[in-house]
Amino acid sequence: MNAQDPSQISMPPPAAGAPDPLAELQDIHLPAEIGLWPPAWGWWVLVIATIVCVSALAFFIKRKKSRNAYRALAIAELNNSHKQYGDEQNSEYLQALSVILRRTALSGFGSQFNASLKGHDFLQWLDEQCAKTNQQFNQGVGTALLIGPYQKNPEFDRAALHQLSLLWITEHRNQWQKIEKPAQISIPKNNEAKHHV
């Protein structure tokens, strides 16, 4: 068989009364356009991931606010007692301040707080929970909490103690936060120092 070019193959002319065979062919059917619904699986994954992320963010924000709600209450009570007790009622103010600090400690630390702490031990504990107080409870203006509530008219810097208490309430680390430990400096022993020189 000879291979001929298909364009050179001649077709016999159609008979006068014969129907055209090409007229019986059906036209090409195009597929339907791709609609917006249902979306592809990648969009479903994106929607689900977005919902999960937004839900997790809302959960963590709500949990943080609820864990720190006691701070707002303590600040309101602290400011209220500061206004309620005048300058001539310093001993009552110190008693109220001590109660507020203890309640805040119980709310923030729960069973980790030793409620039986008293005196210098309690003030030292307050300083340990908030490094920003710079030992002012145990060695500074906070010492007014030791004997001031039992004196008739104690002398102390009321504004400084109020600011110190406000600082502690807002900045202390509670049971859900890590307590920052101060960096320890390694001091070489005498034998080690000789070898380094």
mmCIF file of all heavy atoms in Angstrom, residues 74-125:
data_model
loop_
_atom_site.group_PDB
_atom_site.id
_atom_site.type_symbol
_atom_site.label_atom_id
_atom_site.label_comp_id
_atom_site.label_asym_id
_atom_site.label_seq_id
_atom_site.Cartn_x
_atom_site.Cartn_y
_atom_site.Cartn_z
ATOM 1 N N ALA A 74 -7.575 43.627 93.015
ATOM 2 C CA ALA A 74 -6.669 44.051 94.087
ATOM 3 C C ALA A 74 -6.269 45.517 93.923
ATOM 4 O O ALA A 74 -6.185 46.259 94.908
ATOM 5 C CB ALA A 74 -5.425 43.160 94.103
ATOM 6 N N ILE A 75 -6.044 45.954 92.689
ATOM 7 C CA ILE A 75 -5.696 47.360 92.448
ATOM 8 C C ILE A 75 -6.857 48.262 92.832
ATOM 9 O O ILE A 75 -6.667 49.311 93.470
ATOM 10 C CB ILE A 75 -5.280 47.566 90.976
ATOM 11 C CG1 ILE A 75 -3.932 46.895 90.716
ATOM 12 C CG2 ILE A 75 -5.203 49.046 90.630
ATOM 13 C CD1 ILE A 75 -3.554 46.823 89.260
ATOM 14 N N ALA A 76 -8.074 47.858 92.476
ATOM 15 C CA ALA A 76 -9.249 48.659 92.837
ATOM 16 C C ALA A 76 -9.397 48.738 94.353
ATOM 17 O O ALA A 76 -9.678 49.818 94.901
ATOM 18 C CB ALA A 76 -10.503 48.062 92.211
ATOM 19 N N GLU A 77 -9.194 47.624 95.037
ATOM 20 C CA GLU A 77 -9.300 47.608 96.503
ATOM 21 C C GLU A 77 -8.180 48.427 97.138
ATOM 22 O O GLU A 77 -8.402 49.139 98.120
ATOM 23 C CB GLU A 77 -9.266 46.164 96.996
ATOM 24 C CG GLU A 77 -9.720 46.012 98.427
ATOM 25 C CD GLU A 77 -9.863 44.559 98.839
ATOM 26 O OE1 GLU A 77 -9.932 43.669 97.962
ATOM 27 O OE2 GLU A 77 -9.900 44.319 100.055
ATOM 28 N N LEU A 78 -6.990 48.353 96.573
ATOM 29 C CA LEU A 78 -5.863 49.134 97.087
ATOM 30 C C LEU A 78 -6.129 50.633 96.951
ATOM 31 O O LEU A 78 -5.939 51.400 97.900
ATOM 32 C CB LEU A 78 -4.583 48.755 96.342
ATOM 33 C CG LEU A 78 -3.306 49.503 96.729
ATOM 34 C CD1 LEU A 78 -2.875 49.114 98.129
ATOM 35 C CD2 LEU A 78 -2.207 49.201 95.732
ATOM 36 N N ASN A 79 -6.584 51.054 95.788
ATOM 37 C CA ASN A 79 -6.886 52.478 95.581
ATOM 38 C C ASN A 79 -8.045 52.934 96.457
ATOM 39 O O ASN A 79 -8.035 54.053 96.975
ATOM 40 C CB ASN A 79 -7.189 52.745 94.104
ATOM 41 C CG ASN A 79 -5.951 52.605 93.243
ATOM 42 O OD1 ASN A 79 -4.827 52.806 93.705
ATOM 43 N ND2 ASN A 79 -6.141 52.234 91.996
ATOM 44 N N ASN A 80 -9.030 52.066 96.651
ATOM 45 C CA ASN A 80 -10.163 52.408 97.500
ATOM 46 C C ASN A 80 -9.724 52.590 98.952
ATOM 47 O O ASN A 80 -10.140 53.548 99.621
ATOM 48 C CB ASN A 80 -11.240 51.315 97.395
ATOM 49 C CG ASN A 80 -12.492 51.680 98.143
ATOM 50 O OD1 ASN A 80 -12.838 52.850 98.276
ATOM 51 N ND2 ASN A 80 -13.199 50.669 98.622
ATOM 52 N N SER A 81 -8.892 51.707 99.445
ATOM 53 C CA SER A 81 -8.424 51.833 100.834
ATOM 54 C C SER A 81 -7.501 53.045 100.990
ATOM 55 O O SER A 81 -7.483 53.674 102.049
ATOM 56 C CB SER A 81 -7.727 50.554 101.294
ATOM 57 O OG SER A 81 -6.542 50.353 100.571
ATOM 58 N N HIS A 82 -6.764 53.381 99.944
ATOM 59 C CA HIS A 82 -5.897 54.562 100.002
ATOM 60 C C HIS A 82 -6.734 55.836 100.155
ATOM 61 O O HIS A 82 -6.349 56.756 100.870
ATOM 62 C CB HIS A 82 -5.031 54.630 98.743
ATOM 63 C CG HIS A 82 -3.983 55.688 98.778
ATOM 64 N ND1 HIS A 82 -2.942 55.667 99.676
ATOM 65 C CD2 HIS A 82 -3.806 56.806 98.027
ATOM 66 C CE1 HIS A 82 -2.168 56.719 99.478
ATOM 67 N NE2 HIS A 82 -2.673 57.433 98.476
ATOM 68 N N LYS A 83 -7.887 55.867 99.481
ATOM 69 C CA LYS A 83 -8.777 57.025 99.586
ATOM 70 C C LYS A 83 -9.615 56.982 100.857
ATOM 71 O O LYS A 83 -9.926 58.020 101.445
ATOM 72 C CB LYS A 83 -9.718 57.070 98.374
ATOM 73 C CG LYS A 83 -9.020 57.364 97.076
ATOM 74 C CD LYS A 83 -9.983 57.268 95.909
ATOM 75 C CE LYS A 83 -9.246 57.406 94.591
ATOM 76 N NZ LYS A 83 -10.131 57.171 93.442
ATOM 77 N N GLN A 84 -9.992 55.772 101.276
ATOM 78 C CA GLN A 84 -10.895 55.619 102.415
ATOM 79 C C GLN A 84 -10.253 56.043 103.728
ATOM 80 O O GLN A 84 -10.894 56.684 104.556
ATOM 81 C CB GLN A 84 -11.352 54.159 102.509
ATOM 82 C CG GLN A 84 -12.297 53.875 103.659
ATOM 83 C CD GLN A 84 -12.692 52.406 103.712
ATOM 84 O OE1 GLN A 84 -12.286 51.615 102.867
ATOM 85 N NE2 GLN A 84 -13.486 52.047 104.700
ATOM 86 N N TYR A 85 -8.999 55.686 103.922
ATOM 87 C CA TYR A 85 -8.320 56.000 105.181
ATOM 88 C C TYR A 85 -7.495 57.262 105.009
ATOM 89 O O TYR A 85 -6.605 57.324 104.169
ATOM 90 C CB TYR A 85 -7.431 54.838 105.625
ATOM 91 C CG TYR A 85 -8.220 53.568 105.861
ATOM 92 C CD1 TYR A 85 -8.080 52.474 105.018
ATOM 93 C CD2 TYR A 85 -9.116 53.476 106.920
ATOM 94 C CE1 TYR A 85 -8.797 51.313 105.222
ATOM 95 C CE2 TYR A 85 -9.847 52.325 107.141
ATOM 96 C CZ TYR A 85 -9.682 51.248 106.280
ATOM 97 O OH TYR A 85 -10.407 50.106 106.491
ATOM 98 N N GLY A 86 -7.782 58.253 105.827
ATOM 99 C CA GLY A 86 -7.065 59.521 105.757
ATOM 100 C C GLY A 86 -5.682 59.404 106.378
ATOM 101 O O GLY A 86 -5.267 58.348 106.865
ATOM 102 N N ASP A 87 -4.968 60.520 106.383
ATOM 103 C CA ASP A 87 -3.606 60.529 106.924
ATOM 104 C C ASP A 87 -3.571 60.229 108.416
ATOM 105 O O ASP A 87 -2.565 59.748 108.935
ATOM 106 C CB ASP A 87 -2.946 61.888 106.648
ATOM 107 C CG ASP A 87 -2.657 62.076 105.165
ATOM 108 O OD1 ASP A 87 -2.515 61.064 104.464
ATOM 109 O OD2 ASP A 87 -2.577 63.237 104.722
ATOM 110 N N GLU A 88 -4.654 60.517 109.124
ATOM 111 C CA GLU A 88 -4.680 60.246 110.564
ATOM 112 C C GLU A 88 -5.042 58.786 110.851
ATOM 113 O O GLU A 88 -5.016 58.358 112.000
ATOM 114 C CB GLU A 88 -5.656 61.192 111.281
ATOM 115 C CG GLU A 88 -7.105 61.048 110.876
ATOM 116 C CD GLU A 88 -7.466 61.785 109.588
ATOM 117 O OE1 GLU A 88 -6.651 62.548 109.044
ATOM 118 O OE2 GLU A 88 -8.579 61.562 109.119
ATOM 119 N N GLN A 89 -5.365 58.012 109.828
ATOM 120 C CA GLN A 89 -5.728 56.600 109.995
ATOM 121 C C GLN A 89 -4.676 55.683 109.370
ATOM 122 O O GLN A 89 -4.996 54.697 108.710
ATOM 123 C CB GLN A 89 -7.095 56.336 109.353
ATOM 124 C CG GLN A 89 -8.235 57.076 109.996
ATOM 125 C CD GLN A 89 -9.529 56.881 109.228
ATOM 126 O OE1 GLN A 89 -9.545 57.034 108.017
ATOM 127 N NE2 GLN A 89 -10.582 56.541 109.943
ATOM 128 N N ASN A 90 -3.427 55.990 109.623
ATOM 129 C CA ASN A 90 -2.338 55.211 109.021
ATOM 130 C C ASN A 90 -2.329 53.756 109.479
ATOM 131 O O ASN A 90 -2.025 52.863 108.707
ATOM 132 C CB ASN A 90 -0.991 55.867 109.325
ATOM 133 C CG ASN A 90 -0.742 57.045 108.424
ATOM 134 O OD1 ASN A 90 -1.346 57.175 107.373
ATOM 135 N ND2 ASN A 90 0.159 57.918 108.847
ATOM 136 N N SER A 91 -2.650 53.512 110.733
ATOM 137 C CA SER A 91 -2.606 52.131 111.216
ATOM 138 C C SER A 91 -3.702 51.296 110.564
ATOM 139 O O SER A 91 -3.473 50.143 110.210
ATOM 140 C CB SER A 91 -2.662 52.136 112.736
ATOM 141 O OG SER A 91 -3.803 51.607 113.247
ATOM 142 N N GLU A 92 -4.903 51.871 110.361
ATOM 143 C CA GLU A 92 -5.981 51.153 109.675
ATOM 144 C C GLU A 92 -5.607 50.902 108.208
ATOM 145 O O GLU A 92 -5.922 49.853 107.641
ATOM 146 C CB GLU A 92 -7.303 51.926 109.746
ATOM 147 C CG GLU A 92 -7.935 51.962 111.120
ATOM 148 C CD GLU A 92 -7.393 53.077 111.998
ATOM 149 O OE1 GLU A 92 -6.485 53.825 111.564
ATOM 150 O OE2 GLU A 92 -7.867 53.202 113.135
ATOM 151 N N TYR A 93 -4.947 51.890 107.615
ATOM 152 C CA TYR A 93 -4.509 51.729 106.225
ATOM 153 C C TYR A 93 -3.503 50.585 106.117
ATOM 154 O O TYR A 93 -3.581 49.761 105.191
ATOM 155 C CB TYR A 93 -3.889 53.031 105.699
ATOM 156 C CG TYR A 93 -3.249 52.881 104.344
ATOM 157 C CD1 TYR A 93 -4.027 52.718 103.196
ATOM 158 C CD2 TYR A 93 -1.864 52.865 104.199
ATOM 159 C CE1 TYR A 93 -3.443 52.557 101.946
ATOM 160 C CE2 TYR A 93 -1.276 52.704 102.960
ATOM 161 C CZ TYR A 93 -2.068 52.553 101.839
ATOM 162 O OH TYR A 93 -1.497 52.391 100.609
ATOM 163 N N LEU A 94 -2.563 50.495 107.038
ATOM 164 C CA LEU A 94 -1.567 49.418 107.005
ATOM 165 C C LEU A 94 -2.222 48.052 107.213
ATOM 166 O O LEU A 94 -1.821 47.063 106.585
ATOM 167 C CB LEU A 94 -0.488 49.656 108.058
ATOM 168 C CG LEU A 94 0.480 50.800 107.751
ATOM 169 C CD1 LEU A 94 1.393 51.063 108.936
ATOM 170 C CD2 LEU A 94 1.287 50.500 106.508
ATOM 171 N N GLN A 95 -3.222 47.987 108.077
ATOM 172 C CA GLN A 95 -3.938 46.725 108.275
ATOM 173 C C GLN A 95 -4.644 46.310 106.978
ATOM 174 O O GLN A 95 -4.576 45.150 106.561
ATOM 175 C CB GLN A 95 -4.960 46.859 109.402
ATOM 176 C CG GLN A 95 -4.344 46.979 110.773
ATOM 177 C CD GLN A 95 -5.369 47.306 111.850
ATOM 178 O OE1 GLN A 95 -6.564 47.398 111.580
ATOM 179 N NE2 GLN A 95 -4.892 47.491 113.061
ATOM 180 N N ALA A 96 -5.337 47.268 106.348
ATOM 181 C CA ALA A 96 -6.031 46.974 105.091
ATOM 182 C C ALA A 96 -5.043 46.586 104.000
ATOM 183 O O ALA A 96 -5.298 45.655 103.223
ATOM 184 C CB ALA A 96 -6.858 48.183 104.657
ATOM 185 N N LEU A 97 -3.900 47.257 103.939
ATOM 186 C CA LEU A 97 -2.881 46.949 102.938
ATOM 187 C C LEU A 97 -2.333 45.538 103.127
ATOM 188 O O LEU A 97 -2.150 44.794 102.150
ATOM 189 C CB LEU A 97 -1.750 47.975 103.005
ATOM 190 C CG LEU A 97 -0.617 47.795 102.007
ATOM 191 C CD1 LEU A 97 -1.138 47.891 100.578
ATOM 192 C CD2 LEU A 97 0.455 48.837 102.243
ATOM 193 N N SER A 98 -2.095 45.161 104.360
ATOM 194 C CA SER A 98 -1.601 43.813 104.640
ATOM 195 C C SER A 98 -2.617 42.761 104.189
ATOM 196 O O SER A 98 -2.247 41.744 103.582
ATOM 197 C CB SER A 98 -1.307 43.664 106.130
ATOM 198 O OG SER A 98 -0.838 42.370 106.405
ATOM 199 N N VAL A 99 -3.885 43.009 104.448
ATOM 200 C CA VAL A 99 -4.941 42.075 104.032
ATOM 201 C C VAL A 99 -5.002 42.000 102.506
ATOM 202 O O VAL A 99 -5.123 40.908 101.928
ATOM 203 C CB VAL A 99 -6.306 42.491 104.627
ATOM 204 C CG1 VAL A 99 -7.441 41.708 103.996
ATOM 205 C CG2 VAL A 99 -6.295 42.301 106.139
ATOM 206 N N ILE A 100 -4.907 43.133 101.838
ATOM 207 C CA ILE A 100 -4.959 43.153 100.364
ATOM 208 C C ILE A 100 -3.793 42.371 99.774
ATOM 209 O O ILE A 100 -3.969 41.578 98.837
ATOM 210 C CB ILE A 100 -4.969 44.606 99.845
ATOM 211 C CG1 ILE A 100 -6.281 45.286 100.202
ATOM 212 C CG2 ILE A 100 -4.741 44.651 98.336
ATOM 213 C CD1 ILE A 100 -6.280 46.788 99.982
ATOM 214 N N LEU A 101 -2.596 42.565 100.310
ATOM 215 C CA LEU A 101 -1.420 41.847 99.788
ATOM 216 C C LEU A 101 -1.553 40.342 100.016
ATOM 217 O O LEU A 101 -1.208 39.540 99.144
ATOM 218 C CB LEU A 101 -0.148 42.389 100.436
ATOM 219 C CG LEU A 101 0.251 43.805 100.010
ATOM 220 C CD1 LEU A 101 1.430 44.302 100.847
ATOM 221 C CD2 LEU A 101 0.581 43.858 98.529
ATOM 222 N N ARG A 102 -2.077 39.947 101.161
ATOM 223 C CA ARG A 102 -2.252 38.519 101.439
ATOM 224 C C ARG A 102 -3.327 37.908 100.535
ATOM 225 O O ARG A 102 -3.158 36.799 100.030
ATOM 226 C CB ARG A 102 -2.604 38.289 102.903
ATOM 227 C CG ARG A 102 -1.410 38.480 103.812
ATOM 228 C CD ARG A 102 -1.729 38.121 105.251
ATOM 229 N NE ARG A 102 -0.546 38.269 106.054
ATOM 230 C CZ ARG A 102 0.400 37.345 106.177
ATOM 231 N NH1 ARG A 102 0.304 36.215 105.518
ATOM 232 N NH2 ARG A 102 1.461 37.552 106.926
ATOM 233 N N ARG A 103 -4.416 38.624 100.348
ATOM 234 C CA ARG A 103 -5.465 38.114 99.450
ATOM 235 C C ARG A 103 -4.942 37.983 98.019
ATOM 236 O O ARG A 103 -5.248 37.018 97.322
ATOM 237 C CB ARG A 103 -6.674 39.064 99.455
ATOM 238 C CG ARG A 103 -7.552 38.938 100.653
ATOM 239 C CD ARG A 103 -8.736 39.854 100.505
ATOM 240 N NE ARG A 103 -9.523 39.895 101.708
ATOM 241 C CZ ARG A 103 -10.450 40.794 101.947
ATOM 242 N NH1 ARG A 103 -10.702 41.745 101.066
ATOM 243 N NH2 ARG A 103 -11.135 40.768 103.071
ATOM 244 N N THR A 104 -4.180 38.958 97.603
ATOM 245 C CA THR A 104 -3.603 38.908 96.255
ATOM 246 C C THR A 104 -2.661 37.718 96.126
ATOM 247 O O THR A 104 -2.673 37.014 95.112
ATOM 248 C CB THR A 104 -2.864 40.215 95.942
ATOM 249 O OG1 THR A 104 -3.754 41.309 96.135
ATOM 250 C CG2 THR A 104 -2.339 40.233 94.519
ATOM 251 N N ALA A 105 -1.859 37.487 97.152
ATOM 252 C CA ALA A 105 -0.940 36.348 97.128
ATOM 253 C C ALA A 105 -1.712 35.026 97.082
ATOM 254 O O ALA A 105 -1.354 34.118 96.327
ATOM 255 C CB ALA A 105 -0.032 36.387 98.342
ATOM 256 N N LEU A 106 -2.781 34.920 97.859
ATOM 257 C CA LEU A 106 -3.594 33.695 97.835
ATOM 258 C C LEU A 106 -4.262 33.500 96.479
ATOM 259 O O LEU A 106 -4.352 32.374 95.977
ATOM 260 C CB LEU A 106 -4.655 33.745 98.937
ATOM 261 C CG LEU A 106 -4.169 33.378 100.333
ATOM 262 C CD1 LEU A 106 -5.232 33.711 101.371
ATOM 263 C CD2 LEU A 106 -3.793 31.915 100.404
ATOM 264 N N SER A 107 -4.733 34.580 95.871
ATOM 265 C CA SER A 107 -5.392 34.470 94.567
ATOM 266 C C SER A 107 -4.393 34.127 93.469
ATOM 267 O O SER A 107 -4.696 33.358 92.561
ATOM 268 C CB SER A 107 -6.098 35.780 94.212
ATOM 269 O OG SER A 107 -7.117 36.049 95.131
ATOM 270 N N GLY A 108 -3.212 34.700 93.544
ATOM 271 C CA GLY A 108 -2.220 34.486 92.493
ATOM 272 C C GLY A 108 -1.438 33.197 92.625
ATOM 273 O O GLY A 108 -0.971 32.642 91.635
ATOM 274 N N PHE A 109 -1.283 32.696 93.849
ATOM 275 C CA PHE A 109 -0.425 31.536 94.056
ATOM 276 C C PHE A 109 -1.162 30.319 94.586
ATOM 277 O O PHE A 109 -0.613 29.231 94.617
ATOM 278 C CB PHE A 109 0.731 31.897 94.994
ATOM 279 C CG PHE A 109 1.684 32.863 94.384
ATOM 280 C CD1 PHE A 109 1.516 34.219 94.546
ATOM 281 C CD2 PHE A 109 2.732 32.423 93.602
ATOM 282 C CE1 PHE A 109 2.382 35.122 93.965
ATOM 283 C CE2 PHE A 109 3.602 33.315 93.007
ATOM 284 C CZ PHE A 109 3.425 34.668 93.191
ATOM 285 N N GLY A 110 -2.388 30.499 95.025
ATOM 286 C CA GLY A 110 -3.190 29.369 95.502
ATOM 287 C C GLY A 110 -2.487 28.602 96.607
ATOM 288 O O GLY A 110 -2.003 29.172 97.588
ATOM 289 N N SER A 111 -2.397 27.302 96.446
ATOM 290 C CA SER A 111 -1.807 26.447 97.482
ATOM 291 C C SER A 111 -0.281 26.579 97.555
ATOM 292 O O SER A 111 0.327 26.085 98.496
ATOM 293 C CB SER A 111 -2.183 24.993 97.226
ATOM 294 O OG SER A 111 -1.660 24.573 95.987
ATOM 295 N N GLN A 112 0.320 27.239 96.584
ATOM 296 C CA GLN A 112 1.775 27.430 96.624
ATOM 297 C C GLN A 112 2.176 28.517 97.625
ATOM 298 O O GLN A 112 3.339 28.615 97.989
ATOM 299 C CB GLN A 112 2.291 27.800 95.242
ATOM 300 C CG GLN A 112 2.135 26.698 94.229
ATOM 301 C CD GLN A 112 2.605 27.122 92.847
ATOM 302 O OE1 GLN A 112 3.031 28.241 92.629
ATOM 303 N NE2 GLN A 112 2.509 26.214 91.901
ATOM 304 N N PHE A 113 1.214 29.344 98.019
ATOM 305 C CA PHE A 113 1.504 30.413 98.982
ATOM 306 C C PHE A 113 1.313 29.878 100.384
ATOM 307 O O PHE A 113 0.269 29.311 100.716
ATOM 308 C CB PHE A 113 0.578 31.616 98.742
ATOM 309 C CG PHE A 113 0.674 32.672 99.796
ATOM 310 C CD1 PHE A 113 1.857 33.368 100.005
ATOM 311 C CD2 PHE A 113 -0.414 32.969 100.602
ATOM 312 C CE1 PHE A 113 1.945 34.337 100.981
ATOM 313 C CE2 PHE A 113 -0.332 33.941 101.581
ATOM 314 C CZ PHE A 113 0.851 34.622 101.767
ATOM 315 N N ASN A 114 2.311 30.062 101.206
ATOM 316 C CA ASN A 114 2.242 29.651 102.604
ATOM 317 C C ASN A 114 1.588 30.781 103.392
ATOM 318 O O ASN A 114 2.227 31.780 103.719
ATOM 319 C CB ASN A 114 3.650 29.357 103.124
ATOM 320 C CG ASN A 114 3.651 28.856 104.548
ATOM 321 O OD1 ASN A 114 2.614 28.727 105.176
ATOM 322 N ND2 ASN A 114 4.840 28.571 105.057
ATOM 323 N N ALA A 115 0.315 30.625 103.701
ATOM 324 C CA ALA A 115 -0.452 31.688 104.362
ATOM 325 C C ALA A 115 0.005 31.936 105.791
ATOM 326 O O ALA A 115 -0.359 32.951 106.382
ATOM 327 C CB ALA A 115 -1.936 31.342 104.349
ATOM 328 N N SER A 116 0.804 31.058 106.335
ATOM 329 C CA SER A 116 1.272 31.259 107.713
ATOM 330 C C SER A 116 2.517 32.151 107.781
ATOM 331 O O SER A 116 3.009 32.414 108.877
ATOM 332 C CB SER A 116 1.553 29.904 108.368
ATOM 333 O OG SER A 116 2.644 29.268 107.725
ATOM 334 N N LEU A 117 3.017 32.625 106.650
ATOM 335 C CA LEU A 117 4.176 33.524 106.674
ATOM 336 C C LEU A 117 3.808 34.816 107.394
ATOM 337 O O LEU A 117 2.753 35.399 107.149
ATOM 338 C CB LEU A 117 4.637 33.847 105.255
ATOM 339 C CG LEU A 117 5.348 32.748 104.483
ATOM 340 C CD1 LEU A 117 5.626 33.196 103.061
ATOM 341 C CD2 LEU A 117 6.638 32.357 105.169
ATOM 342 N N LYS A 118 4.712 35.257 108.242
ATOM 343 C CA LYS A 118 4.474 36.490 108.998
ATOM 344 C C LYS A 118 5.771 37.278 109.079
ATOM 345 O O LYS A 118 6.852 36.759 108.875
ATOM 346 C CB LYS A 118 3.979 36.167 110.409
ATOM 347 C CG LYS A 118 2.606 35.547 110.453
ATOM 348 C CD LYS A 118 2.219 35.236 111.887
ATOM 349 C CE LYS A 118 0.836 34.673 111.987
ATOM 350 N NZ LYS A 118 0.609 33.412 111.384
ATOM 351 N N GLY A 119 5.622 38.546 109.381
ATOM 352 C CA GLY A 119 6.766 39.395 109.650
ATOM 353 C C GLY A 119 7.723 39.517 108.471
ATOM 354 O O GLY A 119 7.319 39.672 107.323
ATOM 355 N N HIS A 120 9.018 39.434 108.803
ATOM 356 C CA HIS A 120 10.056 39.572 107.774
ATOM 357 C C HIS A 120 9.965 38.475 106.722
ATOM 358 O O HIS A 120 10.297 38.716 105.556
ATOM 359 C CB HIS A 120 11.457 39.568 108.410
ATOM 360 C CG HIS A 120 11.830 40.870 109.048
ATOM 361 N ND1 HIS A 120 12.138 41.987 108.323
ATOM 362 C CD2 HIS A 120 11.920 41.226 110.353
ATOM 363 C CE1 HIS A 120 12.421 42.984 109.138
ATOM 364 N NE2 HIS A 120 12.293 42.550 110.387
ATOM 365 N N ASP A 121 9.529 37.283 107.118
ATOM 366 C CA ASP A 121 9.410 36.186 106.155
ATOM 367 C C ASP A 121 8.396 36.526 105.065
ATOM 368 O O ASP A 121 8.629 36.267 103.878
ATOM 369 C CB ASP A 121 9.008 34.889 106.862
ATOM 370 C CG ASP A 121 10.088 34.366 107.785
ATOM 371 O OD1 ASP A 121 11.272 34.693 107.555
ATOM 372 O OD2 ASP A 121 9.755 33.630 108.730
ATOM 373 N N PHE A 122 7.266 37.117 105.459
ATOM 374 C CA PHE A 122 6.251 37.500 104.478
ATOM 375 C C PHE A 122 6.781 38.610 103.574
ATOM 376 O O PHE A 122 6.609 38.564 102.356
ATOM 377 C CB PHE A 122 4.965 37.946 105.183
ATOM 378 C CG PHE A 122 3.911 38.444 104.241
ATOM 379 C CD1 PHE A 122 3.347 37.609 103.293
ATOM 380 C CD2 PHE A 122 3.485 39.759 104.290
ATOM 381 C CE1 PHE A 122 2.378 38.071 102.410
ATOM 382 C CE2 PHE A 122 2.522 40.231 103.420
ATOM 383 C CZ PHE A 122 1.959 39.386 102.478
ATOM 384 N N LEU A 123 7.448 39.590 104.154
ATOM 385 C CA LEU A 123 7.985 40.687 103.345
ATOM 386 C C LEU A 123 9.073 40.189 102.395
ATOM 387 O O LEU A 123 9.152 40.632 101.243
ATOM 388 C CB LEU A 123 8.522 41.796 104.249
ATOM 389 C CG LEU A 123 7.487 42.469 105.164
ATOM 390 C CD1 LEU A 123 8.149 43.532 106.034
ATOM 391 C CD2 LEU A 123 6.352 43.061 104.360
ATOM 392 N N GLN A 124 9.898 39.264 102.870
ATOM 393 C CA GLN A 124 10.932 38.679 102.020
ATOM 394 C C GLN A 124 10.283 37.908 100.866
ATOM 395 O O GLN A 124 10.739 37.980 99.723
ATOM 396 C CB GLN A 124 11.842 37.746 102.834
ATOM 397 C CG GLN A 124 12.949 37.100 102.024
ATOM 398 C CD GLN A 124 13.945 38.112 101.477
ATOM 399 O OE1 GLN A 124 14.222 39.122 102.115
ATOM 400 N NE2 GLN A 124 14.461 37.840 100.298
ATOM 401 N N TRP A 125 9.193 37.181 101.161
ATOM 402 C CA TRP A 125 8.485 36.441 100.121
ATOM 403 C C TRP A 125 7.931 37.390 99.069
ATOM 404 O O TRP A 125 8.001 37.103 97.876
ATOM 405 C CB TRP A 125 7.361 35.606 100.750
ATOM 406 C CG TRP A 125 6.650 34.760 99.761
ATOM 407 C CD1 TRP A 125 6.986 33.500 99.357
ATOM 408 C CD2 TRP A 125 5.486 35.120 99.018
ATOM 409 N NE1 TRP A 125 6.090 33.059 98.407
ATOM 410 C CE2 TRP A 125 5.156 34.034 98.181
ATOM 411 C CE3 TRP A 125 4.677 36.251 98.964
ATOM 412 C CZ2 TRP A 125 4.070 34.049 97.324
ATOM 413 C CZ3 TRP A 125 3.591 36.264 98.110
ATOM 414 C CH2 TRP A 125 3.300 35.173 97.303
#
